[in-house]
Amino acid sequence: MTDGPRRSVVRRLLSVLDTFDATTPTQSLTEIAARTELPLPTAHRLLAELTAGGWLERLPDGRYRVGLRLWKLGTLAPSYRNLRELALPYMQDLYHATHENIQLAVLDGRTALCVENINSVRSVPTRTRIGGRLPLHATGVGKVLLAAAGTELLASLAEKGLRRFTRYTIIEPGRLSRTLATVRDEQVAFSREEMTLGACSVASPVTRPDGGVVAAVSIVAHSSVDVDRLAYAVRTAASGISRQTGML
Amino acid sequence: MTDGPRRSVVRRLLSVLDTFDATTPTQSLTEIAARTELPLPTAHRLLAELTAGGWLERLPDGRYRVGLRLWKLGTLAPSYRNLRELALPYMQDLYHATHENIQLAVLDGRTALCVENINSVRSVPTRTRIGGRLPLHATGVGKVLLAAAGTELLASLAEKGLRRFTRYTIIEPGRLSRTLATVRDEQVAFSREEMTLGACSVASPVTRPDGGVVAAVSIVAHSSVDVDRLAYAVRTAASGISRQTGML
DNA sequence: GACGTTCCTTTCACGGGGTGGAAGTCAGGT
DNA sequence: ACCTGACTTCCACCCCGTGAAAGGAACGTC
């Protein structure tokens, strides 16, 4: 029946957990079995064990969703645990000064991962959610993180082709590389409608005392806003957070 | 060797994950093996699989910690996913109006679980962390959640004895029960140095359109602050959040 | 009320993969 | 050089996870 190579119990279990994402926060047994390509009884047994332990929850209608226990565990993840607590006050200051959207992201593989955000009702509505992903080459935070990463990352991204989101997206590796050099130089990255038409952003790196970049903060505003004028604000906030990282 | 009854692979794996908590965010192989009571090679294999999938991370010194993937997954947990995003703006309003600590908690088993907080530098320093637990009988948020839960919960807590934290902690089940009636009536709960000497709190319930209580917001202030004057502020914020829960 | 459908749950004999004692490796200390 | 403690690898045994098949449960349809 199952053609694929046999996975270990552990990998099966983890692939069950992996089926939960932002687009499918709740799932039925059949859906999970289908997505994991596991026989129905097998999926059922794994889900039963996860539910019994409180890792997943079962809704009255039989559907499964992520439980509090997993949330609590995730809370201990490094980029979250302290960074978020240190950064939030500074992000709030930025928000009160500008009334625009504020984001905090870390590097996760080949994308930027949003770990905290403050959405403004007055500013451009962003699709970004906590736990959501952002492209490295078309956003402010992405560029900051990409600039700080080794050149191999850029090379590997370029190899697979830089996706064009709007007509302003930089998809030429050479031009992107030059942009990143400026970012490293000035500690600020811009994105002018490169990800979404009508939205611009300014980002700046959060660093450890040794200079390593751990995250990026940014302001995401409507394209009519002069983001250059916001650059110093982001840099100031980023410096504030960076100063605190020494205490981790 | 191992005396205990044999656990299934799944339960073994989950007990490995379970060893991670706020007090031990990073652990060595030997520590994990000891805490889970698993043979060292077994623990090693499980950890290797978890690390390979990005569920755990390995530090240069060989210690393990929770990885980004688990954090992302936890992000999907119900009480967190939307509640937090809805509530944060209102919590910020409260913070700016009062400059005290603000907390948001949900019921989790026999304790209150803090899902969001804003710590004020000007107010009492709180030990509470996101993902941290608070007693139901000695805190504002706890009382709100306990009042909304069935009477069985209070009975079962009383059976095991209500822990005394300070000389003000209510440990008489009858008196607590009467207090909870008032909480239900007035939609506000107070804690006056019942958890920590020098700290008081006011809390109010966040409800769904059908009236069910999903969370509690509170202000935690120095005991010199007249918390009665803050009651309307918390109730207002709680109402605001409650109105939004209809959109979930 | 019988019948079909869909989704979930339970059973159980089989055999492959997890197990863990033992041995090997590595780093730091004396 | 020798020891100690912590991690990693090996591999033969055997236990426990597996999944096809059958049993329920909850609907909707004729």
Side-chain angles (χ1 to χ4, degrees):
Chain A
M1 182 81 256
T2 51
D3 35 309
R6 184 157 158 65
R7 282 164 288 177
S8 74
V9 194
V10 177
R11 238 172 295 157
R12 288 172 178 216
L13 185 78
L14 297 178
S15 64
V16 166
L17 292 180
D18 224 15
T19 58
F20 291 90
D21 57 42
T23 60
T24 55
T26 81
Q27 297 179 97
S28 73
L29 170 61
T30 342
E31 285 166 4
I32 295 172
R35 295 186 65 180
T36 53
E37 299 183 1
L38 287 174
L40 223 135
T42 304
H44 182 258
R45 199 167 356 95
L46 293 175
L47 287 166
E49 293 203 72
L50 284 167
T51 309
W55 301 92
L56 295 182
E57 287 176 6
R58 191 124 202 228
L59 302 174
D61 65 359
R63 298 175 70 78
Y64 296 88
R65 67 178 184 189
V66 175
L68 274 180
R69 200 158 179 183
L70 268 174
W71 175 73
K72 245 182 291 175
L73 191 57
T75 273
L76 301 172
S79 342
Y80 186 74
R81 190 169 157 59
N82 302 297
L83 185 57
R84 187 206 159 278
E85 294 178 19
L86 296 182
L88 193 56
Y90 292 91
M91 293 173 68
Q92 283 175 16
D93 293 345
L94 265 188
Y95 172 74
H96 276 91
T98 64
H99 285 285
E100 302 290 350
N101 303 298
I102 315 294
Q103 302 187 335
L104 179 73
V106 298
L107 183 65
D108 179 34
R110 305 162 60 86
T111 54
L113 181 66
C114 174
V115 294
E116 184 67 59
N117 71 350
I118 297 178
N119 286 322
S120 168
V121 277
R122 300 197 206 169
S123 184
V124 238
T126 59
R127 237 142 313 190
T128 321
R129 235 180 43 77
I130 291 188
R133 320 193 130 285
L134 294 164
L136 290 176
H137 68 288
T139 61
V141 282
K143 285 180 188 172
V144 165
L145 296 171
L146 186 53
T151 51
E152 322 83 62
L153 183 55
L154 172 57
S156 107
L157 286 177
E159 200 176 320
K160 298 212 171 180
L162 298 168
R163 180 169 163 203
R164 154 155 276 153
F165 295 97
T166 71
R167 64 176 169 281
Y168 302 108
T169 310
I170 302 177
I171 55 167
E172 306 85 358
R175 197 168 138 230
L176 182 56
S177 177
R178 262 171 280 130
T179 309
L180 296 180
T182 317
V183 171
R184 268 186 295 271
D185 211 41
E186 304 184 352
Q187 301 284 296
V188 182
F190 295 93
S191 163
R192 300 170 199 273
E193 304 192 78
E194 296 163 31
M195 170 79 203
T196 315
L197 288 177
C200 291
S201 69
V202 213
S204 192
V206 173
T207 57
R208 271 175 311 203
D210 64 14
V213 172
V214 292
V217 219
S218 85
I219 298 178
V220 182
H222 191 272
S223 52
S224 62
V225 174
D226 178 12
V227 281
D228 287 275
R229 294 186 52 201
L230 299 173
Y232 282 111
V234 198
R235 283 196 58 175
T236 305
S239 301
I241 303 169
S242 300
R243 205 176 332 109
Q244 304 277 343
T245 59
M247 301 165 65
L248 289 185
Chain B
M1 184 79 260
T2 53
D3 36 308
R6 187 166 158 72
R7 280 164 289 177
S8 72
V9 194
V10 177
R11 237 172 299 157
R12 287 171 178 215
L13 185 77
L14 297 178
S15 63
V16 166
L17 292 180
D18 223 16
T19 57
F20 291 90
D21 58 41
T23 59
T24 55
T26 81
Q27 297 179 97
S28 71
L29 169 62
T30 343
E31 284 166 5
I32 296 173
R35 294 186 66 178
T36 53
E37 298 183 1
L38 288 174
L40 225 137
T42 304
H44 181 258
R45 198 168 355 96
L46 294 175
L47 287 166
E49 293 203 70
L50 285 167
T51 309
W55 301 91
L56 295 182
E57 288 175 4
R58 192 124 202 227
L59 302 174
D61 64 357
R63 297 175 71 80
Y64 297 89
R65 66 178 185 190
V66 175
L68 273 179
R69 199 157 180 185
L70 268 173
W71 175 74
K72 245 183 288 174
L73 191 58
T75 274
L76 301 171
S79 342
Y80 186 74
R81 190 169 155 62
N82 303 297
L83 186 57
R84 187 207 158 278
E85 294 177 19
L86 296 181
L88 194 55
Y90 292 91
M91 293 173 70
Q92 284 174 15
D93 294 344
L94 265 187
Y95 173 73
H96 276 91
T98 65
H99 285 286
E100 301 289 349
N101 303 297
I102 316 293
Q103 302 188 334
L104 180 72
V106 298
L107 183 64
D108 178 36
R110 306 161 59 84
T111 55
L113 182 65
C114 175
V115 293
E116 185 66 58
N117 71 351
I118 298 177
N119 286 322
S120 168
V121 276
R122 301 197 206 170
S123 184
V124 236
T126 59
R127 237 141 312 187
T128 322
R129 235 180 42 81
I130 291 189
R133 321 193 128 286
L134 294 163
L136 289 176
H137 68 289
T139 61
V141 283
K143 285 180 187 172
V144 165
L145 296 170
L146 187 52
T151 51
E152 320 83 64
L153 183 55
L154 172 57
S156 107
L157 286 177
E159 200 176 319
K160 297 210 172 182
L162 298 167
R163 180 169 164 204
R164 154 155 276 153
F165 294 98
T166 71
R167 63 175 170 279
Y168 301 109
T169 310
I170 303 178
I171 55 167
E172 306 86 359
R175 198 168 137 228
L176 182 56
S177 177
R178 263 171 279 132
T179 310
L180 296 181
T182 318
V183 171
R184 270 188 293 271
D185 211 41
E186 304 184 352
Q187 302 284 297
V188 182
F190 295 93
S191 163
R192 301 172 199 273
E193 305 192 79
E194 296 163 32
M195 170 79 202
T196 314
L197 288 177
C200 291
S201 70
V202 214
S204 191
V206 173
T207 58
R208 271 174 312 204
D210 66 12
V213 172
V214 292
V217 220
S218 84
I219 299 178
V220 181
H222 192 271
S223 52
S224 61
V225 174
D226 179 10
V227 281
D228 287 274
R229 296 186 52 200
L230 299 173
Y232 283 111
V234 197
R235 284 196 57 175
T236 305
S239 301
I241 304 170
S242 300
R243 206 177 329 110
Q244 306 275 343
T245 59
M247 303 165 64
L248 289 186

